[in-house]
Amino acid sequence: MNVLLSAEVSGLPGGDRLDCVRASDQCLKEQSCSTKYRTLRQCVAGKESNFSRATGLEAKDECKSAMEALKQKSLYNCRCKRGMKKEKNCLRIYWSMYQSLQGNDLLEDSPYEPVNSRLSDIFRLAPIVSVEPALSKGNNCLDAAKACNLNDTCKKFRSAYITPCTSSTSNEICNKRKCHKALRVFFDKVPPKHSYGMLFCSCRDTACTERRRQTIVPVCSYEDKEKPNCLNLLDSCKKNYICRSRLADFFINCQPESRSISSCLKENYADCLLAYSRLIGTAMTPNYIDSNSLSVAPWCDCSNSGNDIEECLKLLNFFQDNTCLKNAIQAFGNGTDVTVWQPILAVQTTTATTTTASKFKNMGSESTNNEIPTHNDLPACANLQAHKRKSNESVDTELCLNENAIGKDNTVRVSTSHISSENSSALPTSFSLSTLLMLMTIALSISLFLSSSETL
């Protein structure tokens, strides 16, 4: 947990942090900082003999001393901005500071500055994202592709990756390196309202889900002749600054949490989808496993893992069974988002909250009809019940529909979605009533105390 939250709380006074390129330049201008920084870089590179005659424990102590000294400098807390001009150089500097300090592959801190964006911000800008996508009888993924072709930026960068990803060579089906680079550029440059529209579109039939799966031209960007072991693929990724950084960002922003209503530790769907999309075009490129579910995975398996089978399965399951990511994809397809007050309720590990999280897990794993479920009423219902317990207010039980009530009846779908949207705007009022009741209780307690004092 400390590692996961360190990016949020370990900044410099005032919350300002330099990017690693500027922090490095600043450090190199100071004699004491420059010496310790060079020492640390050589420690990380394993070239102790180049800077000291000390060996063994003495060399390790010198490396530790260098790190302790640099903790007081801005370089220690530096981060990188996504898409910055010298991003690769910034990431190289970051990992020279951190790669010898973090041992758990799934808990490496992200080198990127927190984004804290919201899906609702994307919806406001996206005319192609319907508030009721599940009611649409068309192909949402096809509609998203058409919308992309009507946008100059999206059309330009989509064409730029389609060409290398579909052009075969004499020996290979395509040039995977050029295909990956073009895909990274596409997801870095194209606004989410268009790129997400094709990658996370809501579907109700196989034609739509297969089109969604084909978005990244998987025959080139994803598939290969053989599936490597996932741990070997991870090792390959960690040798590349871009891949390692984006993978760490994905682990941080899509970390599941069963006690959370959203099933995400950070309660932010937009940050999770951003981190996922930026993995595309790296060695760990993920894609939908098939056209029947929302499960994703890199092109790898856990065969020949030997004694590392548990570690391998842990890595693979973080993709395949990630309820945070599945719920984020569903939320985008449904036109919903995590409301800003949910983190307050998420920290209360009540039975109702845990039950709601379990329902979300089932939503992600039991979808067999290729349609992203419209279960917007579930969090709304759970939240209303939580407010009832806190404020003793009555809750209209008609607002809480179970999963069986959401069938093929479109009228039910409209009403539940309408309830969900109205509930988000009505909650501040409910919260104010809770506060008022609490104040009245305090006032009554004071009055009773004063009365008893007078009696005495």
Side-chain angles (χ1 to χ4, degrees):
M1 182 68 72
N2 290 336
V3 177
L4 289 171
L5 299 179
S6 61
E8 306 288 339
V9 301
S10 63
L12 296 175
D16 297 326
R17 287 186 293 201
L18 295 177
D19 69 67
C20 295
V21 176
R22 291 176 59 195
S24 176
D25 291 341
Q26 189 178 89
C27 177
L28 292 174
K29 292 178 181 178
E30 301 177 20
Q31 181 62 36
S32 60
C33 184
S34 177
T35 302
K36 296 297 184 182
Y37 181 35
R38 287 192 173 93
T39 297
L40 182 68
R41 285 195 298 186
Q42 290 171 333
C43 290
V44 172
K47 298 179 180 179
E48 292 88 351
S49 59
N50 291 341
F51 69 90
S52 173
R53 294 181 181 179
T55 58
L57 293 176
E58 293 181 7
K60 291 182 179 180
D61 288 341
E62 191 167 350
C63 292
K64 184 177 180 180
S65 174
M67 174 53 71
E68 290 299 322
L70 288 173
K71 284 184 178 180
Q72 310 304 318
K73 305 295 182 180
S74 59
L75 186 63
Y76 182 76
N77 288 300
C78 72
R79 289 294 185 273
C80 301
K81 293 180 174 60
R82 296 165 182 79
M84 63 183 292
K85 187 175 182 180
K86 297 181 179 180
E87 181 178 348
K88 191 170 183 178
N89 187 36
C90 182
L91 296 174
R92 179 186 61 79
I93 295 170
Y94 175 88
W95 288 115
S96 72
M97 290 287 296
Y98 283 89
Q99 67 182 9
S100 63
L101 303 180
Q102 301 182 26
N104 191 323
D105 292 333
L106 297 188
L107 290 179
E108 283 192 331
D109 201 1
S110 172
Y112 293 109
E113 286 282 4
V115 179
N116 295 322
S117 57
R118 290 285 165 186
L119 288 183
S120 52
D121 298 329
I122 300 174
F123 299 148
R124 282 196 289 269
L125 300 173
I128 65 169
V129 177
S130 170
V131 177
E132 300 288 353
L135 296 180
S136 173
K137 295 182 179 181
N139 187 323
N140 289 329
C141 294
L142 178 60
D143 293 341
K146 291 178 179 178
C148 175
N149 287 332
L150 294 175
N151 178 271
D152 291 339
T153 301
C154 188
K155 182 179 180 180
K156 172 185 175 182
F157 289 107
R158 186 180 181 220
S159 299
Y161 83 74
I162 291 294
T163 300
C165 293
T166 56
S167 301
S168 60
T169 62
S170 56
N171 299 323
E172 301 291 339
I173 192 171
C174 69
N175 189 321
K176 179 169 284 191
R177 184 183 62 82
K178 289 184 177 180
C179 176
H180 275 181
K181 183 177 181 180
L183 278 167
R184 292 198 304 271
V185 172
F186 175 81
F187 286 105
D188 286 347
K189 300 289 187 181
V190 175
K193 65 179 180 180
H194 292 297
S195 60
Y196 289 9
M198 293 188 293
L199 191 61
F200 306 124
C201 39
S202 173
C203 291
R204 54 187 297 130
D205 57 51
T206 305
C208 179
T209 56
E210 180 58 22
R211 186 177 188 92
R212 181 175 63 196
R213 195 182 72 84
Q214 292 290 336
T215 296
I216 65 171
V217 194
V219 68
C220 177
S221 68
Y222 180 64
E223 300 167 5
D224 212 334
K225 295 178 182 178
E226 296 181 358
K227 278 191 175 183
N229 180 276
C230 292
L231 295 180
N232 292 338
L233 190 65
L234 176 64
D235 289 339
S236 176
C237 174
K238 298 191 73 164
K239 293 176 182 177
N240 180 283
Y241 294 127
I242 296 291
C243 186
R244 182 176 188 175
S245 301
R246 297 187 178 196
L247 183 62
D249 201 46
F250 173 67
F251 287 150
I252 291 296
N253 288 295
C254 293
Q255 183 73 26
E257 172 50 65
S258 61
R259 295 169 297 179
S260 161
I261 292 178
S262 69
S263 289
C264 296
L265 177 66
K266 294 189 67 177
E267 295 282 19
N268 193 311
Y269 288 151
D271 287 357
C272 178
L273 295 184
L274 174 64
Y276 174 86
S277 67
R278 282 171 58 83
L279 262 184
I280 297 172
T282 70
M284 295 295 292
T285 294
N287 196 27
Y288 298 100
I289 297 175
D290 51 46
S291 300
N292 298 315
S293 70
L294 293 177
S295 292
V296 302
W299 183 258
C300 65
D301 59 31
C302 288
S303 59
N304 302 317
S305 293
N307 295 332
D308 297 324
I309 184 65
E310 289 187 6
E311 184 180 356
C312 182
L313 290 174
K314 182 180 179 181
L315 171 63
L316 187 58
N317 289 337
F318 191 93
F319 285 88
Q320 290 186 353
D321 301 323
N322 192 318
T323 52
C324 173
L325 176 61
K326 288 180 181 179
N327 288 346
I329 295 173
Q330 289 177 348
F332 182 86
N334 291 338
T336 58
D337 195 4
V338 183
T339 51
V340 294
W341 47 266
Q342 279 184 345
I344 299 175
L345 294 180
V347 297
Q348 302 176 9
T349 55
T350 62
T351 303
T353 305
T354 305
T355 302
T356 306
S358 299
K359 289 182 180 180
F360 266 90
K361 288 183 179 180
N362 293 333
M363 286 166 49
S365 60
E366 296 179 0
S367 178
T368 57
N369 63 354
N370 301 322
E371 178 180 356
I372 296 179
T374 309
H375 287 191
N376 298 341
D377 59 301
L378 289 178
C381 179
N383 297 333
L384 285 170
Q385 290 171 346
H387 277 281
K388 178 182 178 181
R389 288 193 301 272
K390 290 175 65 178
S391 60
N392 293 323
E393 298 173 23
S394 61
V395 177
D396 187 354
T397 55
E398 292 181 359
L399 298 182
C400 300
L401 302 178
N402 59 34
E403 293 186 43
N404 296 327
I406 306 176
K408 296 182 180 179
D409 186 353
N410 289 343
T411 305
V412 176
R413 292 182 185 276
V414 173
S415 62
T416 56
S417 179
H418 179 65
I419 290 170
S420 179
S421 60
E422 285 188 348
N423 184 50
S424 63
S425 62
L427 282 171
T429 304
S430 177
F431 184 80
S432 298
L433 290 172
S434 301
T435 305
L436 181 59
L437 287 172
M438 181 180 68
L439 293 174
M440 291 175 64
T441 302
I442 294 173
L444 181 60
S445 299
I446 294 173
S447 177
L448 291 173
F449 176 79
L450 292 176
S451 298
S452 61
S453 299
E454 292 176 357
T455 303
L456 294 174

